[in-house]
Amino acid sequence: MKKRDITAIGFTTFALFLGAGNLIFPPMMAQQAGENWLSAMLGFLISAVGLPALTIVVLGRLSSANKLTQALPPWLDRTFWLMVFITLGPAFVLPRAVTVAYEMGLKPFVSESYLLPFSVIFCAMCLILALKPGRLVDIIGKFMTPALIAMLGILVITAIYNPQGSTTQAIAAYQQAPLVNGLLEGYMTLDAIAAVAFGWVIIQAIKEKGITDQAGIQRYSFFIAGIYIVLMSTCYLAMGYLGASSSSIAAEASNGGAILTLYSAAILGPVGQVLLAVITLTACLTTVIGLTNANAEYFKKTYRLPFAKTATAVIVLTALVANVGLEQLISFSLPLILVLCPIAITLVLAASLSHAANHHLKYLVFTAFLFGSIDTAAVLGMVSGSLDQALLQWLPLYSSHLSWLLPCTLLLGYQSFSLKLTKSQQPAF
């Protein structure tokens, strides 16, 4: 593969992940971490960038995203992927991206609500671009991503020369364990599960460049993951710097979006507000295009449904949900995606450590589902006081919403060890 093609796919991968939420998380966390913002950012990068990068590498080694779950019973395999693409598609992530694009990209400049016409035009643009899967890398990687990087660069470089405050004292959570809390914030971006979906797009993009052998796909996915790590880490650090240096203008901000809005207006005036709007629109546009493409690719490969019709159905549903039922669907979809995330990470860890451990993969999935459900209930405030105290005392990492991690790690280690022991006891012929 030519270097420019590798670079283009790497740029595309970065753009697929860079939604508006990825711009909003780091400024708020860095502002709260104060003087410890770099330590918090290190933890954030480990989970928010490291886990997706590991997923890209693992899927590349498998040479096909669906091989991640092929050792599962067929019903469990299909159920997992359906839930992933429904929640990352029209049931949650896609309509949320459309509404965020409207809230930050158009609403600040108009006095009335134009969500309906905006969503129709925005979704139509996404569909037109998503219907050209063969040109996806050219459209996003060679044109949209460089423009997005240039706009982010203007904002950040201007901020470096004209900071809007200095770091303040960290809030309590970031005074004692900034790295750990940053790690948890990165986990809650849920990009680990997005990486599983985007794997369909990335691997297909590699194959469309003529690389079809497993060794080649593995090699180039490693390079692409490296490009993604550099670009996404740089972006997160830049957004974190904006948050850490915003004490003079955004000390009372309630979220990262407000910090970015106030910062842009302070250093660049009306031009800054327009620049931030264009950045947000572009980031949301690339994410919607990528997830629509991933949905259509999955249903085409698995159920032999026409790519164009599937993409159209996904976009139409996205526009409808964004206008009439997003809040109701969030209440249903958020718990589901919080449960799916530990399952996805467990599947990736199993594939990265040993293919042999897949022999009992269903037990790992059920364990991740069980303890992930407990964590989800805690995140959503559904655990009663007495039960909450008992779980805090007896369940490791419950307070960090990572109850699933230790049981899954122990089970994975046990399965790998027992399999190696069994092999060592077999007679050699």
Side-chain angles (χ1 to χ4, degrees), residues 314-325:
V314 168
I315 284 293
V316 170
L317 286 172
T318 296
L320 289 173
V321 172
N323 282 276
V324 299

Side-chain angles (χ1 to χ4, degrees), residues 232-263:
M232 188 61 83
S233 297
T234 302
C235 178
Y236 279 147
L237 285 168
M239 294 301 102
Y241 171 79
L242 294 181
S245 61
S246 64
S247 58
S248 297
I249 59 165
E252 303 299 324
S254 58
N255 58 71
I259 293 174
L260 291 180
T261 300
L262 291 169
Y263 214 122

Side-chain angles (χ1 to χ4, degrees), residues 75-121:
W75 70 269
L76 188 55
D77 177 8
R78 293 289 178 90
T79 299
F80 170 76
W81 286 112
L82 279 174
M83 292 300 99
V84 166
F85 283 109
I86 287 173
T87 52
L88 291 180
F92 180 45
V93 175
L94 286 182
R96 187 183 66 172
V98 173
T99 56
V100 169
Y102 170 74
E103 292 287 336
M104 293 186 65
L106 180 63
K107 190 176 179 180
F109 306 98
V110 296
S111 57
E112 299 180 23
S113 176
Y114 291 97
L115 178 59
L116 179 58
F118 172 86
S119 60
V120 171
I121 296 171

Side-chain angles (χ1 to χ4, degrees), residues 28-382:
M28 194 70 220
M29 184 194 72
Q31 187 189 74
Q32 293 177 339
E35 72 271 19
N36 296 326
W37 77 276
L38 282 174
S39 298
M41 283 303 305
L42 176 60
F44 186 88
L45 294 178
I46 290 171
S47 52
V49 179
L51 285 175
L54 174 64
T55 302
I56 294 170
V57 171
V58 168
L59 294 179
R61 192 182 76 175
L62 298 176
S63 76
S64 177
N66 60 354
K67 287 185 180 180
L68 188 69
T69 55
Q70 67 178 5
L72 294 173
W75 70 269
L76 188 55
D77 177 8
R78 293 289 178 90
T79 299
F80 170 76
W81 286 112
L82 279 174
M83 292 300 99
V84 166
F85 283 109
I86 287 173
T87 52
L88 291 180
F92 180 45
V93 175
L94 286 182
R96 187 183 66 172
V98 173
T99 56
V100 169
Y102 170 74
E103 292 287 336
M104 293 186 65
L106 180 63
K107 190 176 179 180
F109 306 98
V110 296
S111 57
E112 299 180 23
S113 176
Y114 291 97
L115 178 59
L116 179 58
F118 172 86
S119 60
V120 171
I121 296 171
F122 187 84
C123 287
M125 290 176 59
C126 292
L127 179 61
I128 292 170
L129 296 173
L131 286 177
K132 300 178 180 179
R135 295 193 59 204
L136 187 68
V137 172
D138 292 329
I139 294 169
I140 297 180
K142 295 181 180 179
F143 297 103
M144 296 180 71
T145 308
L148 181 59
I149 293 172
M151 289 185 290
L152 286 169
I154 292 171
L155 180 62
V156 174
I157 292 171
T158 309
I160 291 173
Y161 283 99
N162 188 21
Q164 299 299 303
S166 57
T167 55
T168 57
Q169 185 177 5
I171 64 173
Y174 289 99
Q175 289 179 8
Q176 300 299 323
L179 189 143
V180 173
N181 281 283
L183 193 76
L184 297 177
E185 286 292 322
Y187 168 73
M188 290 305 293
T189 63
L190 304 178
D191 271 356
I193 190 171
V196 171
F198 286 140
W200 290 79
V201 178
I202 297 165
I203 291 174
Q204 184 61 29
I206 295 174
K207 291 180 177 179
E208 286 174 355
K209 296 300 179 182
I211 310 299
T212 56
D213 61 294
Q214 185 170 352
I217 294 172
Q218 178 179 348
R219 178 170 178 258
Y220 288 114
S221 66
F222 185 82
F223 293 148
I224 290 163
I227 295 172
Y228 160 78
I229 289 172
V230 172
L231 291 177
M232 188 61 83
S233 297
T234 302
C235 178
Y236 279 147
L237 285 168
M239 294 301 102
Y241 171 79
L242 294 181
S245 61
S246 64
S247 58
S248 297
I249 59 165
E252 303 299 324
S254 58
N255 58 71
I259 293 174
L260 291 180
T261 300
L262 291 169
Y263 214 122
S264 301
I267 60 176
L268 292 172
V271 175
Q273 293 178 300
V274 173
L275 181 65
L276 181 61
V278 177
I279 290 171
T280 303
L281 288 169
T282 306
C284 290
L285 188 71
T286 54
T287 298
V288 173
I289 294 169
L291 282 175
T292 301
N293 191 282
N295 268 266
E297 194 70 44
Y298 166 73
F299 285 104
K300 174 187 174 183
K301 293 284 181 63
T302 307
Y303 299 99
R304 302 185 184 281
L305 296 177
F307 185 96
K309 291 182 178 179
T310 304
T312 302
V314 168
I315 284 293
V316 170
L317 286 172
T318 296
L320 289 173
V321 172
N323 282 276
V324 299
L326 181 59
E327 293 301 322
Q328 293 83 351
L329 270 174
I330 284 178
S331 63
F332 165 76
S333 300
L334 184 57
L336 185 60
I337 204 168
L338 286 171
V339 172
L340 284 171
C341 195
I343 295 174
I345 295 174
T346 300
L347 288 169
V348 170
L349 289 175
S352 64
L353 293 176
S354 172
H355 290 292
N358 289 351
H359 181 63
H360 298 293
L361 194 60
K362 62 184 177 182
Y363 301 117
L364 278 167
V365 170
F366 287 134
T367 302
F369 172 77
L370 175 62
F371 288 93
S373 298
I374 296 173
D375 290 328
T376 298
V379 170
L380 299 176
M382 299 169 60

